[in-house]
Amino acid sequence: NAFPMLTDGKWRGHWAQSYWRQVWPSVDDVRDVERHVADGRGPWRVFGCGHYSVSLPEPGAWDYRANLTAPANRLAYESAGTFPSGVYRKD
């Protein structure tokens, strides 16, 4: 919960993002995380602060728009290294 997200007056972590459906694993077992990401089902975690969020690791082919509950745009994506990640801003 390094990047809490303020939504409706409450601080929220990765379990209750304001503009994504719950698509990431609810456990931290590395085998589940690897399968989830390898299957392209989405990142392992999404952390937010205000209107911004960071996802990691994020599958390159993940369609983030299909999982949105509110309009948002990807500002940046980095695929080099072990943990590909994306930075997003809610519109």
Side-chain angles (χ1 to χ4, degrees):
N1 293 325
F3 298 93
M5 178 173 287
L6 183 62
T7 307
D8 300 327
K10 298 178 181 177
W11 288 101
R12 298 180 173 184
H14 56 262
W15 297 118
Q17 292 303 311
S18 64
Y19 56 100
W20 260 300
R21 291 189 193 97
Q22 208 67 349
V23 296
W24 37 90
S26 60
V27 296
D28 291 342
D29 187 296
V30 68
R31 293 163 297 187
D32 291 334
V33 171
E34 288 174 350
R35 270 194 305 273
H36 181 87
V37 175
D39 291 346
R41 288 182 279 161
W44 168 49
R45 291 288 185 267
V46 178
F47 300 95
C49 184
H51 288 286
Y52 295 91
S53 66
V54 176
S55 63
L56 67 141
E58 179 183 319
W62 181 51
D63 182 5
Y64 75 91
R65 289 182 180 94
N67 294 292
L68 289 173
T69 59
N73 287 300
R74 181 188 279 167
L75 301 178
Y77 177 76
E78 174 58 56
S79 62
T82 306
F83 295 103
S85 62
V87 178
Y88 299 87
R89 181 181 64 210
K90 182 179 177 183
D91 290 341

